[in-house]
Amino acid sequence: MAAGKVFIFDTTLRDGEQVPGCKLNTKEKLELALELEDLGVDIIEAGFPISSPGDFESVNQVARAIKNATVCGLSRAVQKDIEVAAEALKHAARKRIHTGIGTSDYHIRSKFNSTREDILERAVQCVKWARNFTDDVEFYAEDAGRTDNEYLARVVEAVIKAGATTVNIPDTTGYCLPSQYGQKMAYLINHVPNMDKAVLSCHCHNDLGLATANSIEGVIAGARQIECTINGLGERAGNTSLEEVVMILKQHKHLGLHTSIKPERLNPVSRLVSDTMRMPVQPNKAIVGSNAFSHSSGIHQDGFLKDAQTYEIINPEEVGADSSKIVLTARSGRSALAYRFQKLGFQFDRNDVDVLYNEFVKVADSKKEVEDTDLHAMALSYQKKAPVASTGS
Ligand code: KIV
Ligand code: ZN
């Protein structure tokens, strides 16, 4: 394995599917899993098999169908959960059991009414049990973001000794600052003697809008797996967005980190997930939002039309998006207006555009966006008054 490879663990079908209204049936999960495999994700978390017979069936079908990616099933640190996950995954070409328990004092006291020593013992037992079914066992320390680092390091060391091959450090509540999350990873790398025997994984939630930043800090500090979802779907404010982390690592090559994702599939897969889960993507969403490659202010449009790189760090084709758009609003300028007329087949010179611009801003002030039909009407009326000035289609 190359040192700079970051594994992409996609949890759209598990954490993403927990979003109210996003529930998927088996056929839908299967279709999305095949797309995720084609996208190039390394691990697909297909579901939580003990949660319902329907989800057991979905994980089972995904496990049978996927050939290249690892298929993963979630479980609590409960023997029966682990057995059911193992049963659901039994036909997978590569299978992973993801098991774990809350390690913060909030979880230990309020959720489990327990002690740190007891939780550490339960963590070790669940990993040992899961190892009876597969060599690929991932342990999650739920609410690791708010877990005391010294105790977390003891848990991580113990679960690796028990056979965990990946250790997930979830910021379950989205609490950490990027620097804190990065320092947590660095602390584990420096204080867990057997850390080199397992992959450290980032699993961040977006309650403060920091999930992507935290995951990136995590891999800069030395983690080598990011758990993420298409469109950033997930509990509450969502999870780390897959498309964002992939493109950040691609843009910032100096980090020396890369993934196996095919970037040109990002927009098609985003649309498929949005349609299948009936969950619209916010227009200003990075990489996959409908405005991600739209330019509307005059200053930006002028710069963009002179050289796209002035205002775009990513070519939309690279991420499978429609080509960049010059949107006409009351904030747009003459260059954009001339460009849009030109696209409609009207060749206006500078003086024509000056006259037309006065008409344009009046129309633009009266509506949100000036459309091609408005431009046609403007151009034809102008041509009637000055018939020799231009040609139009
Ligand atoms: O956010 C979280 O802690 C989780 C775990 C179950 C991995 O989703
Ligand atoms: Zn989560």
Side-chain angles (χ1 to χ4, degrees):
M1 185 225 319
K5 157 96 186 204
V6 173
F7 292 98
I8 294 295
F9 176 113
D10 181 279
T11 183
T12 308
L13 306 183
R14 199 278 296 170
D15 224 327
E17 201 233 14
Q18 289 172 205
V19 174
C22 284
K23 194 196 152 297
L24 299 168
N25 61 35
T26 297
K27 188 169 161 284
E28 291 166 331
K29 271 205 177 184
L30 199 52
E31 184 190 5
L32 291 183
L34 291 165
E35 285 295 330
L36 291 168
E37 179 176 50
D38 180 58
L39 175 67
V41 311
D42 300 287
I43 302 109
I44 298 171
E45 188 165 47
F48 184 13
I50 194 131
S51 65
S52 74
D55 213 34
F56 177 93
E57 181 58 16
S58 297
V59 176
N60 192 261
Q61 293 293 329
V62 171
R64 287 171 190 268
I66 295 297
K67 296 289 168 260
N68 300 316
T70 296
V71 181
C72 176
L74 184 75
S75 75
R76 294 166 296 183
V78 173
Q79 210 168 310
K80 181 78 183 156
D81 277 34
I82 296 168
E83 286 164 5
V84 172
E87 183 63 23
L89 291 165
K90 79 174 174 209
H91 297 291
R94 300 157 199 249
K95 55 172 164 282
R96 174 177 298 185
I97 295 177
H98 190 191
T99 186
I101 196 160
T103 53
S104 70
D105 289 334
Y106 295 99
H107 282 235
I108 295 174
R109 291 198 198 112
S110 311
K111 202 162 116 177
F112 299 115
N113 189 21
S114 185
T115 62
R116 286 185 175 187
E117 291 317 308
D118 175 54
I119 293 298
L120 192 143
E121 185 50 32
R122 283 160 76 172
V124 166
Q125 289 314 323
C126 73
V127 170
K128 285 192 174 156
W129 193 249
R131 279 298 298 249
N132 290 324
F133 306 98
T134 172
D135 291 343
D136 188 346
V137 173
E138 174 167 337
F139 174 80
Y140 64 85
E142 197 178 359
D143 204 14
R146 293 187 300 171
T147 299
D148 164 53
N149 282 349
E150 214 178 304
Y151 173 63
L152 185 62
R154 282 177 55 214
V155 173
V156 171
E157 181 179 352
V159 295
I160 294 174
K161 199 159 159 228
T165 44
T166 303
V167 182
N168 178 10
I169 307 298
D171 184 19
T172 305
T173 58
Y175 168 77
C176 290
L177 291 170
S179 55
Q180 290 172 322
Y181 194 71
Q183 281 157 16
K184 194 172 276 289
M185 291 299 190
Y187 183 92
L188 295 174
I189 290 167
N190 293 327
H191 291 85
V192 174
N194 52 359
M195 196 64 252
D196 60 321
K197 307 270 183 310
V199 173
L200 258 183
S201 181
C202 310
H203 178 114
C204 299
H205 280 265
N206 208 27
D207 300 66
L208 293 172
L210 292 171
T212 294
N214 286 352
S215 298
I216 295 295
E217 279 299 312
V219 291
I220 289 174
R224 283 296 175 268
Q225 178 175 283
I226 295 180
E227 308 197 2
C228 46
T229 59
I230 301 290
N231 301 336
L233 290 169
E235 281 274 354
R236 306 181 308 281
N239 286 57
T240 301
S241 144
L242 182 149
E243 55 279 6
E244 292 174 12
V245 291
V246 165
M247 291 314 292
I248 290 169
L249 298 183
K250 191 152 189 296
Q251 285 285 309
H252 292 276
K253 293 211 166 39
H254 65 278
L255 295 175
L257 300 170
H258 64 273
T259 71
S260 301
I261 298 296
K262 294 178 196 158
E264 69 280 7
R265 295 295 305 151
L266 289 172
N267 269 272
V269 175
S270 159
R271 280 195 292 273
L272 181 68
V273 167
S274 169
D275 292 348
T276 312
M277 290 190 155
R278 293 159 289 274
M279 184 56 68
V281 176
Q282 70 193 64
N284 59 325
K285 171 80 183 60
I287 323 291
V288 294
S290 56
N291 285 345
F293 301 98
S294 291
H295 305 273
S296 108
S297 97
I299 297 171
H300 289 217
Q301 291 171 331
D302 183 53
F304 172 81
L305 289 169
K306 286 174 176 149
D307 176 355
Q309 287 187 55
T310 320
Y311 283 99
E312 270 183 3
I313 58 165
I314 297 168
N315 178 340
E317 276 170 26
E318 194 184 333
V319 291
D322 294 339
S323 43
S324 309
K325 284 200 251 5
I326 293 288
V327 179
L328 293 180
T329 72
R331 305 292 157 260
S332 301
R334 285 172 177 73
S335 318
L337 184 63
Y339 168 81
R340 285 283 299 270
F341 274 132
Q342 205 179 350
K343 281 196 76 180
L344 291 174
F346 295 101
Q347 304 297 334
F348 291 123
D349 66 19
R350 225 190 152 98
N351 292 334
D352 298 328
V353 173
D354 277 345
V355 178
L356 280 158
Y357 188 73
N358 291 333
E359 181 59 23
F360 162 75
V361 283
K362 282 187 218 145
V363 177
D365 257 343
S366 69
K367 56 195 303 198
K368 298 246 184 245
E369 193 180 324
V370 177
E371 317 276 352
D372 283 351
T373 46
D374 302 308
L375 296 178
H376 257 289
M378 265 182 248
L380 295 179
S381 139
Y382 180 72
Q383 282 175 330
K384 264 194 204 151
K385 286 181 216 152
V388 287
S390 59
T391 54
S393 56

